[in-house]
PDB file of all heavy atoms in Angstrom:
ATOM      1  N   ALA A  31      29.320  12.613 -15.831  1.00 48.00           N
ATOM      2  CA  ALA A  31      29.412  11.188 -15.995  1.00 48.00           C
ATOM      3  C   ALA A  31      28.070  10.572 -16.285  1.00 48.00           C
ATOM      4  O   ALA A  31      26.972  11.190 -16.099  1.00 48.00           O
ATOM      5  CB  ALA A  31      29.965  10.561 -14.757  1.00 48.00           C
ATOM      6  N   THR A  32      27.989   9.385 -16.805  1.00 77.00           N
ATOM      7  CA  THR A  32      26.743   8.689 -17.290  1.00 77.00           C
ATOM      8  C   THR A  32      26.458   7.598 -16.223  1.00 77.00           C
ATOM      9  O   THR A  32      27.359   6.903 -15.936  1.00 77.00           O
ATOM     10  CB  THR A  32      26.852   8.200 -18.650  1.00 77.00           C
ATOM     11  OG1 THR A  32      27.095   9.199 -19.575  1.00 77.00           O
ATOM     12  CG2 THR A  32      25.542   7.446 -19.019  1.00 77.00           C
ATOM     13  N   VAL A  33      25.157   7.525 -15.896  1.00 92.00           N
ATOM     14  CA  VAL A  33      24.711   6.355 -15.035  1.00 92.00           C
ATOM     15  C   VAL A  33      24.453   5.174 -16.054  1.00 92.00           C
ATOM     16  O   VAL A  33      23.478   5.215 -16.885  1.00 92.00           O
ATOM     17  CB  VAL A  33      23.444   6.680 -14.298  1.00 92.00           C
ATOM     18  CG1 VAL A  33      23.011   5.479 -13.493  1.00 92.00           C
ATOM     19  CG2 VAL A  33      23.742   7.821 -13.378  1.00 92.00           C
ATOM     20  N   ASP A  34      25.314   4.174 -16.026  1.00 94.00           N
ATOM     21  CA  ASP A  34      25.289   3.059 -16.892  1.00 94.00           C
ATOM     22  C   ASP A  34      24.675   1.842 -16.205  1.00 94.00           C
ATOM     23  O   ASP A  34      25.276   1.301 -15.247  1.00 94.00           O
ATOM     24  CB  ASP A  34      26.655   2.720 -17.403  1.00 94.00           C
ATOM     25  CG  ASP A  34      26.643   1.551 -18.439  1.00 94.00           C
ATOM     26  OD1 ASP A  34      25.628   1.271 -19.018  1.00 94.00           O
ATOM     27  OD2 ASP A  34      27.776   0.927 -18.497  1.00 94.00           O
ATOM     28  N   ILE A  35      23.445   1.483 -16.673  1.00 96.00           N
ATOM     29  CA  ILE A  35      22.746   0.363 -16.043  1.00 96.00           C
ATOM     30  C   ILE A  35      22.451  -0.719 -17.133  1.00 96.00           C
ATOM     31  O   ILE A  35      21.862  -0.320 -18.210  1.00 96.00           O
ATOM     32  CB  ILE A  35      21.379   0.791 -15.419  1.00 96.00           C
ATOM     33  CG1 ILE A  35      21.642   1.764 -14.242  1.00 96.00           C
ATOM     34  CG2 ILE A  35      20.621  -0.416 -14.924  1.00 96.00           C
ATOM     35  CD1 ILE A  35      20.376   2.342 -13.559  1.00 96.00           C
ATOM     36  N   ASN A  36      22.849  -1.938 -16.926  1.00 96.00           N
ATOM     37  CA  ASN A  36      22.733  -2.945 -17.903  1.00 96.00           C
ATOM     38  C   ASN A  36      22.490  -4.337 -17.272  1.00 96.00           C
ATOM     39  O   ASN A  36      22.538  -4.388 -15.987  1.00 96.00           O
ATOM     40  CB  ASN A  36      23.887  -2.987 -18.903  1.00 96.00           C
ATOM     41  CG  ASN A  36      25.209  -3.150 -18.240  1.00 96.00           C
ATOM     42  OD1 ASN A  36      25.422  -4.096 -17.450  1.00 96.00           O
ATOM     43  ND2 ASN A  36      26.058  -2.144 -18.362  1.00 96.00           N
ATOM     44  N   ARG A  37      22.418  -5.401 -17.999  1.00 95.00           N
ATOM     45  CA  ARG A  37      22.072  -6.698 -17.509  1.00 95.00           C
ATOM     46  C   ARG A  37      23.350  -7.465 -17.210  1.00 95.00           C
ATOM     47  O   ARG A  37      23.220  -8.621 -16.754  1.00 95.00           O
ATOM     48  CB  ARG A  37      21.223  -7.567 -18.396  1.00 95.00           C
ATOM     49  CG  ARG A  37      19.810  -6.898 -18.684  1.00 95.00           C
ATOM     50  CD  ARG A  37      18.922  -7.847 -19.424  1.00 95.00           C
ATOM     51  NE  ARG A  37      18.692  -9.043 -18.578  1.00 95.00           N
ATOM     52  CZ  ARG A  37      17.772  -9.200 -17.685  1.00 95.00           C
ATOM     53  NH1 ARG A  37      16.937  -8.217 -17.493  1.00 95.00           N
ATOM     54  NH2 ARG A  37      17.611 -10.381 -17.003  1.00 95.00           N
ATOM     55  N   THR A  38      24.514  -6.938 -17.436  1.00 95.00           N
ATOM     56  CA  THR A  38      25.742  -7.624 -17.184  1.00 95.00           C
ATOM     57  C   THR A  38      25.925  -8.057 -15.719  1.00 95.00           C
ATOM     58  O   THR A  38      25.742  -7.252 -14.773  1.00 95.00           O
ATOM     59  CB  THR A  38      27.010  -6.723 -17.487  1.00 95.00           C
ATOM     60  OG1 THR A  38      26.963  -6.327 -18.830  1.00 95.00           O
ATOM     61  CG2 THR A  38      28.284  -7.512 -17.213  1.00 95.00           C
ATOM     62  N   GLY A  39      26.072  -9.356 -15.461  1.00 95.00           N
ATOM     63  CA  GLY A  39      26.114  -9.918 -14.083  1.00 95.00           C
ATOM     64  C   GLY A  39      24.785 -10.398 -13.520  1.00 95.00           C
ATOM     65  O   GLY A  39      24.771 -10.948 -12.427  1.00 95.00           O
ATOM     66  N   CYS A  40      23.683 -10.187 -14.261  1.00 95.00           N
ATOM     67  CA  CYS A  40      22.456 -10.657 -13.702  1.00 95.00           C
ATOM     68  C   CYS A  40      22.410 -12.161 -13.493  1.00 95.00           C
ATOM     69  O   CYS A  40      22.814 -12.892 -14.341  1.00 95.00           O
ATOM     70  CB  CYS A  40      21.268 -10.300 -14.715  1.00 95.00           C
ATOM     71  SG  CYS A  40      20.798  -8.587 -14.640  1.00 95.00           S
ATOM     72  N   GLY A  41      22.037 -12.577 -12.269  1.00 94.00           N
ATOM     73  CA  GLY A  41      21.997 -14.006 -11.988  1.00 94.00           C
ATOM     74  C   GLY A  41      23.401 -14.558 -11.581  1.00 94.00           C
ATOM     75  O   GLY A  41      23.357 -15.714 -11.203  1.00 94.00           O
ATOM     76  N   VAL A  42      24.419 -13.853 -11.700  1.00 94.00           N
ATOM     77  CA  VAL A  42      25.748 -14.251 -11.337  1.00 94.00           C
ATOM     78  C   VAL A  42      26.319 -13.393 -10.185  1.00 94.00           C
ATOM     79  O   VAL A  42      26.735 -13.898  -9.229  1.00 94.00           O
ATOM     80  CB  VAL A  42      26.672 -14.200 -12.605  1.00 94.00           C
ATOM     81  CG1 VAL A  42      28.054 -14.635 -12.139  1.00 94.00           C
ATOM     82  CG2 VAL A  42      26.169 -15.118 -13.652  1.00 94.00           C
TER      83      VAL A  42
END
Side-chain angles (χ1 to χ4, degrees):
T32 299
V33 178
D34 182 20
I35 299 177
N36 55 60
R37 297 192 63 86
T38 302
C40 284
V42 178

